[in-house]
Amino acid sequence: MMQYKENRDGIQVSNGYWECRHVRERGGTIDAIRIFHAWNRNILAAPVSCRVMTAASFLDPEGPVEYRDEFDENAELTVEDVPDGSVMVKSKAGLMTAAGAFSGIMVLTEYVYWINRISVRRRFLFGEDSVELNRVTAVMIPCIPQLDRWTARRSPVTTAVNETAIQYQTQCGTNFPNLWGKFDSFITDYYEWRASSQLAVYAPDGPAVELMPDGNITGWDRSFSGPDGYCGYSYIKRLPAPRRHVMGVDPYFGEAMEKVRFNGEYEFRFELALPNVPENGFRKRALWLGSLLRLRSEAPWVTEQELEEMAENGVQVLIHHHDCSKGFGAWPDGSFYWPTGVFPPYDETRRRELKQLTAAAKKRGMKVIPYFNLFELHDSCLERMRHNSEWARLVNGKQNHSIYGFQTCLDSGFRQFLKGYIRKVLSCFEMDGAYFDGVAPGYCENPRHAAGLPHYTVEGTLDIIEYTRKLIGEEGIIVIHNSGAPWLAAENLADMSVCMEYVTGFPNFEGGVPDLDSYDPMIWYGNVVPRSICGYTAIRFYDPDYDRLCDKLAVSCLLNGIYFKGFSLNGVNEYERYKRLSRLMKGFASREFRFEKTGRFRLDAGTCTAAAYISRSKAYVIVGNPMSGAAEKCFLHFSPELFSWQGEIEVVNESGETMGTDFHVEVPGYSYVLYRVNLKN
């Protein structure tokens, strides 16, 4: 639930995780953002503003002139409650110079604060006497230099090559779909001659600010230039005096020096997202998953004995994929997963069996969630046949098809159909949430959608996740599979994010499993939910070295606080690498522990490293050997300060034997040892 406070100077809006402040004397802009769990200080170097500029020509004795909304000291600012517990802040400001000269351009901005994001609608009103200019900035976000990392996702229609970006390829073998970088110079770190799909500035395991233009691609790229070309520009850069890290989107960036006069109204919408992490910093880092159906020929369902074993081993959530023994062709007509859109998906006998298994899992304290695809309908779905041309996602005039079904667009009637389908499935089978595949904006050129213009489904994707969260409540479970880079606005509503499919996927692992540092950019961005590597694409199951590679990857993931399982969806055997830890933690709520990497632990070792799940009085320390096939010896030093505790501690190994606080340990190759640390008093 969003809350706000209004006073003479402005308005403060908060959701309990972060707070934004609007100030009347600064154009009604967001002039401060505090994220409570991190530094609890303003992370903005200047307000989140918009601007226009005149041409910058060395022949112009006055040089360029800049007009901003933040320079209006008499802006109108109001606030009101809106449905669903949201808050709307409205501002009306003139674009002014710092000296107070008026440009003749007014800006009307609406900020709708949802629990997971801020939806911004900004309108530029150009009067007949407005100034001539060559640059319009719809949004510019300057952050303090401590946010020293950035990530960006290019426009879905771009063909530009970003030569200045520090590509993630240098670490994990691919640059799709996001670019990742660290500010280390005064040149522009990232730019694109379009409105990028995603821009973000962040600190690892700390604050993050994310910007996503809405799905109206043509509106961003061609509002000012017309159908013959585009002048949009996106950028992330470091500025000196005072030093700050800035990201922004300019729907008009004139390449020529001639000044241009615009008339009328121009509208732009975008989303801002901040991480919803509790103030005390205890993160959702202990969610263990299993599968209710899986690839095997001997039986279509797990047995009650297997359910019991998974529960004993600490599995908390069962994901119900509709899998089959051959991988294809079991139900119906080649479906690999749950046939999204088909209802009922089973005959009466199978429906009864699934309900019985769901009840048996819940009896053992586990939750069950089904699979849904956000952009594809199964071939056997009647609505797909009836509405295919109307709902289709078209690119270059074609509709793609895969093992999931025909591709559809959430900016069509498919969105409302999918909402009803989700509600029907959850109600019929009494399940506890959803596993969403395809959680990323989908590009579409179907002329039946979005006023016939190219678009991508930012709002539609978020709307489905928001709808489901309201449907299942806070105790329900949402797992999102975004394949590539994290997306805070979606992850704020989820309990786990499956990412890095195109980073860890083959052929990238043919040369071996990446080093530990390779996981940092994606895993520690925002730190909203536990993240999982999409393991079944990571290593080819027929690789002769498959088991060793799985061991190596599993240890690496555990040392990064992330989840992984191998190619097989077997609900029991694949968890051998994890159940040593999950079994010990099964009695604790997933939000009770925070995860910390090696930095604070004293460890004398060669290739070994350590990490820990820590609560207020208990911790589980993992000492892993991810990069060596041979056993490695190291010396461990434990103290209460390592866990931010005060008092005496006790260290116990997996066998229940009490250890000292300083001792030697031998860690097998591609494996780990585990210790429980208790605070005695």
Side-chain angles (χ1 to χ4, degrees), residues 19 32 98 168 186 211 261 282 323 327 353 376 398 439 526 578 603 605 650 675 680:
E19 177 185 84
Y168 196 58
F186 290 108
L211 165 64
R261 192 188 305 276
F282 279 64
D323 297 317
E353 292 171 347
E376 292 183 323
K398 297 180 180 180
V439 182
Y578 290 94
L603 181 70
E650 177 187 50
Y675 298 97
K680 286 186 174 181

Side-chain angles (χ1 to χ4, degrees), residues 73-87:
E73 298 179 355
N74 298 291
E76 297 179 17
L77 190 62
T78 59
V79 63
E80 60 185 75
D81 291 303
V82 294
D84 299 324
S86 302
V87 170

Side-chain angles (χ1 to χ4, degrees), residues 605-619:
T607 62
C608 293
T609 187
Y613 291 87
I614 306 171
S615 74
R616 292 178 177 85
S617 61
K618 187 173 294 185

